[in-house]
Amino acid sequence: MAGFEYLTTIPSLEADKFSTSAVCFDESEELLWVANASGFVSSYHSLQLLRHTSRYVHGTFVKQLLSINRGILSLSSDELKLVNRGGTIDFTVRDESSLFYMQCMCLNPNYDKVYVSGENNSLTEIDLRSAKVGRQADTDCSNAVVRYSHKCGYICCGTTNGKVTLHDPSTLQCINVIDAHSGSISDIDVSDNFLVTCGFSTRHNHLNSDRFLMMYDLRSMRSLNPIQVHFDPTLLKFMPNYTSRLAVVSHTGQFQICEPGVPLTPASLVVQQLESPGYPLTFDVSPSAQVFAFGDSEGYLHVWTNREDAVMNNYAEPTKFANEESRLPYLDINDHLVPLSSVPIDYNHDYGGSLLSDWPDDLTEVKDRRLAPIDSKILENMKMNNFIGYAPAPINYKRNQMPYIIRSNVTNEMDENILENKEYDDEQDMFSEYYGEIPKRYHRVAMKYSKLGLEDFNFESYNQTNFAGLETDIPNAYCNSMLQLLYFLRPISVGLQNHSCDKEPCFACELGFLFRMLDQSKGQPCQANNFLRAFRAIPEASGLGLILPDTEKAYKNADLAHLIQSWHLFVLQQLSRDAGRNDDRGNDTDFDKTWFLKLYESNLEIITKCCCESKTVRTSSTLLYTLTYPNTKSSSGKEKQVDTNEGGIYSFCSVLSSSMTKTQNVFCWCEQCQKYQPSTQTRLVKNLPDILAINCQVDSQESIEFWKFQQMVLNNPIADMESESHEESFRYWLPNKIQVQIVNDELVMKEWDNKKRDESVDESNIYSLFANICQIKNDYVGGNLVAHIKVSPEYHELKEGIRHTTWYLVNDFSITPIAPVDAVTFNFDWQIPCILYFVRGSALENFNAKVCPYSNPQIILADKSLNKNSEIIKSSFIAPLEEEIPGKGDLVGLDAEFVSLNQDEAEIHSDGTRSTIKPSQMSAARISVIYGSGPKRGQAFIDDYIATSEKVVDYLTEFSGIRPGDLDPAVSTKYLTMLKSSYRKLLYLIDRGVIFVGHGLRKDFRVINIKVPNEQVIDTVELYHLDRHRYLSLRFLAWYFLNRNIQSESHDSIEDAVTALDLYEKYTSTIKMGNFQQKLIACYETGRKCNWKAPNTN
């Protein structure tokens, strides 16, 4: 709270006559809406409060404003109007029989219905799609405020008699009543499952303000501890992005922030005061939780912020402003050279007749404007029913809309992929040199944790595609962008997913596991936890400085551009060794050990020539190339390979060709001279790979200036002004396609022009720009790494069922479609290119390999323990025979136990509140799988204890049953394996189609870092759960339904798995009897009585 400071105060319209009656922040744009008592509704843009629109909407007091996608809902005492963001009224709803004396309103979660109430003792539903009044229900008394609980699905009405009534949205009938205050309700708000009220109590026949905020849990309908404030509260709001933080305002202008459940501290008692001649009537918090807006009785608007660069909306859409009025040129009446035809005149058909320019009807013909042809990717996926065709709408098209043909050639790549994308604002985002600031989609993203962890974090606001991002709260997650780049290379992704071996650690296996999760996820982010753990386990990675300490300071001080390029080389070298190992997953296909090298490796010939004219030739190879830049200050002209014009202008192809076949002066040993001599070393490329991986090495001011100069010179309009396409009228220094071939041991490279296609050219020599990695510089947060990736049709078909190609910006868990021009232009004030990928077109077009399932039972049968004491290690399970391994549709019980590798990081704010910055990192310590049917039901056939090389800070023995020494191969008496071995067993069972039964499997699978199809998961924590109520523990359910006492001393994963199986059988039998719901309700009633703790039973 101490961070909020006063920003500005402005008078609203007619402030000298009318008070400010309502304020509301726009949910979609950077706008603040203000209404006054005379019926005026105005909007202000950004924190500069620039006047955007203003309109006289009602003839009386505006009661409330609400923001929706289509505009702003404005409520007066007898009508509801929708005002769009341009200031015009879209519709008006009036009904003399039901809409009168209205006071308040709220929206349903779908934003298609609004519920209004007031002093008319009724609750009315209005359909926003048809703008008509719907259902209506009577209430016992007048309502002062209405809120909608999105989590619990209640309409909460604060009444004038101090009660809060809860209504069912489907019937509007009251289903529960909460007695909050003895007087009247002043304000209420709802967040998650919590309801908070402020109001008045009757003392000595007078209404006095309660200095306690009453708080209730809507799941159990029980009151929680009241929240004490130090003034008389009249207005309150939950802070967006927080579960329970409240902003509270008094009628005297005092306000503070409260956190329920947090002890009072001197910092939390800070109260700030509005400098206002009146008293606050209305109050709102911006969606970003960075701005407060107050409207007072004197007609003023007060704005407070908590940071200098505060915004109203973290991801606001561009605001459309009114076009500037075109003014006629000045004409001098005394100038005899001014043509009279340029003088504007009024013209009226009634008096002036017709003009000479009016064409007669017999010489004119009216025709409709032709629509653009239907996109080919829509026609490819169209299904015909009689004579009507149906096709899924591409994500970048608006429904029921097609653009008119403005030019004869508008179907360029950018139009096809980014049509109507609201993320882009005309030419401002098309050409990065015009950016005034870093676009928000490039900002470093961070996950915010609440008391519920990440369950209430809105990932969809960062990624509205079906592709999966990667989470950022893992050590060394700086490589997320490069992992995504490798994933979207289909030959790499499929090849690594089809790889399997028993080496530990193996980059190829871990990346294959990660890419499998990315394939199966539909928009939800994944974790690269297991891969990064294997990455940290390799000593060479630490020796090369690729392992960052898990601190924010280390991240801010890191040179991310140099780090990701070193990581790139290191990982490619590791993959070239790991990917060539034999596949043991049981596939019948022939294994090609050189598949990875065929994609990346170039064979080189190094020729060293001494000053004595002797030559030595040796062969080598490389997986990537590093750009070297010509010395533009040198005039000696020694760089023969680089073609340049006057003025230091170099083409990208000349720079890349020079870097691949560079000639340099070295000091090396000469066998003929028998001493070290100055020599000339030349590198020749003998073959070209399918993937050209390039490290840009823009690590000095000279290289930055070189890129900037080449872009400034070459990123300009082509002289051919007759080009019909806007995109084709520009050229860029970094080309979209290049032609590369080796002719007589000489590398020949040039930019490929689609417009000048030569039929004689071999298409296999054409390389297309596939992706690039950029560093986004920021001195405050240390910057971040992002990827521009051209996603191929195969991935769109996998995720969306439609084949098309689109460029995306991948920024950790934020994925946004972009224009192709963003991938070839860079603003070096904040953007540094790090890695480029060019891919041979035939490598992707001719690739048709599929991901093969795990089918080798030896993954389970031939597993070996790290512990050599064979008499003890298998005492907890029985190794299965091949025919005993469960198959498709068979039930197996699963449970896992975990240990903590580090403590969570939390921040204590100045007001005493505590927020989680980074949670503790958990690691799987034991995985148990038991038979779910057959004669061996309840027996474990997998019971792996997971050894770890990382330090365990907390074994969580009370909850996991794991004790110190259990995970140490030197002293453990358990069956110890590595995580990768257990992971492969689970993948084998998943691909066999078994169904996993367990309690809390979602958390187990998240920590194990594995994706299991929903149809193969039965989670008893969800089966035994009532909507809008708490989840029940396994121990309590076992006591109530099975009369069994488990987890009395510590947890045992086999016992928990057996209990989950028994609970599922109990569930199926009770469902057949038809009384499961009644028993579950009785279970919840018993749980409340015993405080959800199972008593000890024999």
Side-chain angles (χ1 to χ4, degrees):
M1 178 60 217
F4 274 87
E5 296 181 355
Y6 167 78
L7 178 65
T8 186
T9 297
I10 64 170
S12 60
L13 284 177
E14 301 178 326
D16 56 334
K17 300 179 183 178
F18 301 99
S19 60
T20 301
S21 61
V23 296
C24 176
F25 285 96
D26 200 300
E27 294 289 340
S28 301
E29 299 184 9
E30 195 78 357
L31 293 175
L32 171 60
W33 293 84
V34 182
N36 67 3
S38 67
F40 263 103
V41 176
S42 307
S43 62
Y44 299 88
H45 182 264
S46 74
L47 291 183
Q48 299 179 9
L49 298 184
L50 304 175
R51 181 74 63 80
H52 182 248
T53 60
S54 181
R55 183 182 178 89
Y56 188 71
V57 177
H58 301 284
T60 181
F61 197 99
V62 178
K63 301 291 185 179
Q64 189 178 347
L65 298 175
L66 275 181
S67 172
I68 62 174
N69 293 335
R70 296 160 57 187
I72 291 292
L73 291 173
S74 178
L75 179 72
S76 68
S77 60
D78 58 355
E79 63 184 7
L80 175 70
K81 294 191 177 185
L82 174 62
V83 183
N84 63 36
R85 292 177 176 83
T88 59
I89 297 175
D90 282 356
F91 66 71
T92 301
V93 181
R94 294 190 187 93
D95 191 334
E96 295 181 358
S97 62
S98 58
L99 302 183
F100 57 93
Y101 300 141
M102 292 186 294
Q103 185 71 28
C104 48
M105 61 178 171
C106 67
L107 284 163
N108 72 338
N110 296 328
Y111 290 83
D112 59 354
K113 293 179 183 178
V114 65
Y115 305 96
V116 299
S117 187
E119 300 174 8
N120 55 0
N121 293 0
S122 67
L123 179 63
T124 305
E125 175 189 272
I126 298 177
D127 192 331
L128 297 180
R129 293 172 295 187
S130 61
K132 293 182 180 180
V133 175
R135 288 186 294 266
Q136 186 175 11
D138 294 333
T139 57
D140 293 338
C141 62
S142 302
N143 293 318
V145 59
V146 179
R147 295 286 185 267
Y148 195 101
S149 171
H150 293 243
K151 189 85 172 185
C152 297
Y154 296 135
I155 303 172
C156 306
C157 301
T159 66
T160 55
N161 62 4
K163 302 180 185 298
V164 178
T165 59
L166 306 181
H167 297 259
D168 185 353
S170 59
T171 63
L172 302 187
Q173 297 300 317
C174 178
I175 58 177
N176 215 327
V177 178
I178 297 175
D179 196 353
H181 302 272
S182 60
S184 174
I185 295 289
S186 176
D187 200 3
I188 68 173
D189 203 6
V190 180
S191 177
D192 200 62
N193 296 308
F194 301 115
L195 166 71
V196 177
T197 72
C198 64
F200 302 91
S201 295
T202 304
R203 292 191 291 272
H204 306 293
N205 295 325
H206 293 284
L207 286 178
N208 296 281
S209 180
D210 281 337
R211 289 205 172 187
F212 285 92
L213 305 178
M214 310 306 293
M215 191 166 186
Y216 301 89
D217 190 333
L218 295 178
R219 294 170 296 184
S220 58
M221 298 300 171
R222 293 195 306 174
S223 62
L224 305 177
N225 293 331
I227 307 168
Q228 184 180 4
V229 293
H230 301 278
F231 48 73
D232 296 338
T234 56
L235 301 171
L236 56 87
K237 283 276 187 183
F238 276 104
M239 302 278 287
N241 303 327
Y242 299 92
T243 303
S244 58
R245 190 170 295 182
L246 279 165
V248 189
V249 185
S250 76
H251 69 281
T252 60
Q254 296 173 304
F255 66 96
Q256 72 175 110
I257 291 181
C258 304
E259 179 82 17
V262 176
L264 293 177
T265 63
S268 66
L269 301 179
V270 175
V271 177
Q272 295 192 246
Q273 177 71 49
L274 286 178
E275 297 296 333
S276 171
Y279 53 89
L281 293 177
T282 180
F283 159 67
D284 199 15
V285 183
S286 69
S288 65
Q290 300 172 13
V291 188
F292 288 170
F294 306 85
D296 65 14
S297 59
E298 298 299 316
Y300 287 91
L301 175 66
H302 310 269
V303 179
W304 289 60
T305 64
N306 65 351
R307 58 181 70 181
E308 292 183 0
D309 58 344
V311 292
M312 302 177 188
N313 229 315
N314 282 326
Y315 294 92
E317 296 179 0
T319 301
K320 293 183 180 180
F321 293 90
N323 296 329
E324 291 188 7
E325 212 176 304
S326 59
R327 299 183 178 273
L328 296 172
Y330 171 76
L331 300 177
D332 188 355
I333 196 173
N334 297 317
D335 188 355
H336 298 286
L337 299 178
V338 173
L340 295 178
S341 60
S342 63
V343 179
I345 60 173
D346 290 333
Y347 172 71
N348 192 309
H349 274 286
D350 296 337
Y351 300 98
S354 61
L355 296 177
L356 292 176
S357 58
D358 288 341
W359 285 79
D361 293 340
D362 58 339
L363 296 179
T364 59
E365 182 181 358
V366 178
K367 285 190 176 182
D368 294 331
R369 179 180 293 176
R370 296 182 60 188
L371 289 174
I374 300 176
D375 199 311
S376 58
K377 60 177 174 284
I378 297 178
L379 296 175
E380 291 174 2
N381 296 277
M382 181 173 292
K383 296 181 179 179
M384 299 301 296
N385 186 1
N386 294 329
F387 59 91
I388 301 176
Y390 296 90
I395 59 174
N396 294 321
Y397 280 78
K398 290 184 176 179
R399 292 182 62 83
N400 303 321
Q401 293 189 20
M402 284 292 289
Y404 283 116
I405 298 178
I406 306 302
R407 304 181 183 94
S408 60
N409 186 15
V410 296
T411 56
N412 55 63
E413 188 174 11
M414 187 186 73
D415 291 330
E416 292 180 354
N417 298 327
I418 313 297
L419 184 63
E420 299 289 340
N421 192 339
K422 296 181 180 179
E423 181 77 13
Y424 298 94
D425 183 14
D426 297 330
E427 295 193 2
Q428 178 182 355
D429 287 328
M430 284 179 59
F431 307 105
S432 56
E433 62 264 27
Y434 295 114
Y435 287 147
E437 59 182 11
I438 302 177
K440 292 177 183 177
R441 59 184 178 274
Y442 287 94
H443 290 189
R444 180 183 174 188
V445 295
M447 298 184 298
K448 296 181 181 179
Y449 291 85
S450 66
K451 294 179 180 179
L452 301 176
L454 288 175
E455 290 185 9
D456 56 349
F457 186 78
N458 187 12
F459 284 105
E460 291 183 1
S461 62
Y462 296 88
N463 177 16
Q464 297 183 2
T465 71
N466 287 323
F467 301 109
L470 291 175
E471 295 182 11
T472 59
D473 61 345
I474 310 170
N476 300 290
Y478 67 85
C479 61
N480 280 349
S481 58
M482 196 61 214
L483 293 176
Q484 290 277 30
L485 188 154
L486 294 175
Y487 164 69
F488 282 110
L489 274 168
R490 197 60 182 166
I492 298 295
S493 176
V494 174
L496 294 180
Q497 289 186 64
N498 286 335
H499 171 83
S500 180
C501 69
D502 56 2
K503 175 183 176 290
E504 182 73 35
C506 174
F507 272 21
C509 284
E510 297 297 346
L511 280 179
F513 299 154
L514 175 61
F515 293 165
R516 178 187 173 110
M517 288 195 298
L518 292 174
D519 263 356
Q520 295 175 350
S521 178
K522 293 290 186 181
Q524 287 300 314
C526 299
Q527 287 183 313
N529 203 8
N530 292 351
F531 168 76
L532 291 175
R533 189 173 300 168
F535 176 62
R536 295 193 297 270
I538 298 180
E540 292 89 342
S542 178
L544 293 171
L546 302 179
I547 308 298
L548 290 180
D550 190 17
T551 62
E552 187 66 19
K553 182 179 179 181
Y555 183 90
K556 289 182 179 180
N557 295 334
D559 183 356
L560 294 180
H562 175 74
L563 199 63
I564 194 63
Q565 291 177 89
S566 301
W567 184 97
H568 183 209
L569 176 59
F570 173 73
V571 169
L572 290 185
Q573 291 173 342
Q574 289 289 327
L575 288 176
S576 66
R577 293 191 288 266
D578 294 345
R581 293 189 178 90
N582 289 330
D583 181 8
D584 65 353
R585 66 196 299 170
N587 299 320
D588 297 332
T589 56
D590 296 333
F591 179 70
D592 184 4
K593 294 183 178 181
T594 63
W595 70 269
F596 185 84
L597 295 178
K598 289 179 179 178
L599 292 173
Y600 274 95
E601 188 179 47
S602 292
N603 293 320
L604 305 176
E605 189 176 89
I606 312 298
I607 302 175
T608 304
K609 183 178 181 180
C610 180
C611 56
C612 66
E613 298 300 325
S614 65
K615 288 184 181 181
T616 59
V617 179
R618 63 182 178 89
T619 59
S620 180
S621 64
T622 185
L623 299 174
L624 60 81
Y625 294 96
T626 301
L627 289 182
T628 56
Y629 303 101
N631 185 3
T632 56
K633 297 181 181 179
S634 174
S635 58
S636 60
K638 292 182 179 181
E639 283 120 354
K640 297 179 181 179
Q641 292 88 347
V642 181
D643 299 328
T644 175
N645 300 322
E646 295 182 0
I649 302 175
Y650 300 84
S651 69
F652 174 82
C653 291
S654 64
V655 174
L656 177 58
S657 176
S658 175
S659 304
M660 295 174 67
T661 59
K662 61 183 179 182
T663 299
Q664 56 185 351
N665 295 323
V666 296
F667 199 75
C668 61
W669 177 262
C670 177
E671 289 292 340
Q672 183 170 330
C673 301
Q674 288 296 303
K675 62 180 179 179
Y676 285 96
Q677 290 277 61
S679 305
T680 301
Q681 193 174 80
T682 304
R683 182 171 67 179
L684 300 180
V685 179
K686 305 303 290 184
N687 74 294
L688 293 171
D690 288 335
I691 299 173
L692 276 179
I694 304 166
N695 279 350
C696 295
Q697 202 174 8
V698 186
D699 54 1
S700 64
Q701 189 60 36
E702 290 77 12
S703 55
I704 293 176
E705 293 298 328
F706 177 82
W707 273 80
K708 291 175 68 175
F709 178 76
Q710 305 306 320
Q711 285 198 154
M712 179 186 67
V713 174
L714 294 178
N715 289 13
N716 54 20
I718 299 176
D720 182 12
M721 300 303 294
E722 297 180 359
S723 176
E724 297 177 345
S725 171
H726 177 75
E727 189 78 8
E728 292 179 357
S729 62
F730 277 76
R731 59 178 297 186
Y732 305 98
W733 188 68
L734 179 61
N736 277 311
K737 292 184 178 181
I738 57 176
Q739 179 185 351
V740 189
Q741 54 186 334
I742 299 175
V743 180
N744 298 327
D745 286 341
E746 182 179 354
L747 184 68
V748 178
M749 185 183 303
K750 65 180 180 179
E751 183 176 347
W752 176 253
D753 191 349
N754 283 327
K755 296 185 297 181
K756 300 178 180 179
R757 186 180 299 271
D758 188 353
E759 298 295 337
S760 62
V761 175
D762 186 359
E763 294 286 342
S764 63
N765 296 327
I766 307 302
Y767 287 76
S768 298
L769 179 65
F770 169 77
N772 64 52
I773 304 292
C774 296
Q775 179 193 9
I776 308 302
K777 298 187 296 184
N778 191 301
D779 296 333
Y780 297 100
V781 299
N784 56 298
L785 294 166
V786 302
H788 301 100
I789 303 177
K790 186 178 182 180
V791 179
S792 63
E794 290 75 17
Y795 284 94
H796 287 98
E797 184 177 22
L798 175 68
K799 299 288 187 176
E800 303 168 357
I802 302 175
R803 294 180 61 86
H804 63 100
T805 302
T806 303
W807 279 92
Y808 290 93
L809 171 70
V810 181
N811 182 8
D812 292 324
F813 54 82
S814 173
I815 301 180
T816 312
I818 58 171
V821 68
D822 286 351
V824 295
T825 56
F826 307 97
N827 187 328
F828 283 86
D829 293 335
W830 51 269
Q831 194 177 20
I832 299 295
C834 303
I835 296 171
L836 302 175
Y837 262 59
F838 284 88
V839 179
R840 196 195 304 264
S842 57
L844 297 181
E845 293 173 0
N846 300 330
F847 181 80
N848 54 8
K850 303 295 182 182
V851 177
C852 300
Y854 283 75
S855 58
N856 187 0
Q858 296 303 314
I859 292 176
I860 293 180
L861 302 177
D863 185 48
K864 296 181 181 179
S865 172
L866 302 177
N867 191 317
K868 304 302 180 182
N869 189 351
S870 59
E871 296 180 359
I872 300 176
I873 55 181
K874 290 191 177 181
S875 59
S876 61
F877 71 101
I878 300 175
L881 301 176
E882 182 175 348
E883 60 271 14
E884 295 175 337
I885 300 177
K888 185 174 182 179
D890 293 339
L891 298 181
V892 297
L894 182 141
D895 192 67
E897 308 294 352
F898 311 103
V899 294
S900 177
L901 300 181
N902 57 16
Q903 299 293 341
D904 63 341
E905 297 181 17
E907 182 180 34
I908 307 299
H909 300 283
S910 57
D911 58 356
T913 59
R914 182 181 187 273
S915 61
T916 301
I917 300 175
K918 186 178 294 186
S920 59
Q921 187 180 356
M922 309 295 288
S923 177
R926 183 184 181 187
I927 299 176
S928 301
V929 186
I930 66 173
Y931 292 104
S933 59
K936 292 188 176 182
R937 183 191 181 281
Q939 293 183 5
F941 63 94
I942 295 176
D943 187 26
D944 292 347
Y945 283 76
I946 313 299
T948 177
S949 60
E950 297 184 292
K951 181 181 179 181
V952 177
V953 300
D954 192 348
Y955 285 91
L956 306 172
T957 303
E958 179 183 357
F959 307 103
S960 67
I962 306 297
R963 302 182 183 279
D966 285 351
L967 308 182
D968 186 354
V971 298
S972 176
T973 60
K974 312 296 183 182
Y975 188 87
L976 273 180
T977 66
M978 300 302 291
L979 176 61
K980 174 183 169 181
S981 175
S982 301
Y983 198 99
R984 295 170 69 213
K985 295 176 186 178
L986 292 179
L987 288 181
Y988 174 71
L989 293 175
I990 292 171
D991 287 349
R992 281 182 67 90
V994 304
I995 299 176
F996 296 91
V997 181
H999 193 81
L1001 289 180
R1002 181 172 61 174
K1003 178 184 177 183
D1004 291 353
F1005 290 147
R1006 174 176 171 82
V1007 178
I1008 297 173
N1009 204 15
I1010 195 170
K1011 288 281 185 183
V1012 182
N1014 293 333
E1015 60 271 14
Q1016 291 181 242
V1017 177
I1018 298 175
D1019 198 338
T1020 54
V1021 78
E1022 299 291 346
L1023 296 181
Y1024 290 87
H1025 176 242
L1026 282 178
D1027 290 341
R1028 301 192 291 271
H1029 289 74
R1030 63 175 293 164
Y1031 288 98
L1032 302 180
S1033 67
L1034 182 65
R1035 184 183 183 190
F1036 179 79
L1037 290 174
W1039 167 77
Y1040 185 85
F1041 285 98
L1042 305 177
N1043 194 25
R1044 184 182 303 172
N1045 185 23
I1046 64 171
Q1047 304 172 355
S1048 56
E1049 296 181 0
S1050 65
H1051 287 234
D1052 181 85
S1053 56
I1054 294 180
E1055 180 185 46
D1056 292 350
V1058 172
T1059 304
L1061 270 174
D1062 293 342
L1063 281 173
Y1064 175 63
E1065 287 193 358
K1066 184 72 174 179
Y1067 167 80
T1068 55
S1069 62
T1070 313
I1071 285 291
K1072 291 179 181 179
M1073 296 172 61
N1075 60 347
F1076 175 75
Q1077 195 70 12
Q1078 293 84 345
K1079 288 191 175 184
L1080 185 58
I1081 293 173
C1083 174
Y1084 271 90
E1085 292 175 355
T1086 304
R1088 295 188 187 96
K1089 294 177 182 178
C1090 63
N1091 200 22
W1092 310 105
K1093 294 181 179 179
N1096 292 327
T1097 59
N1098 294 325

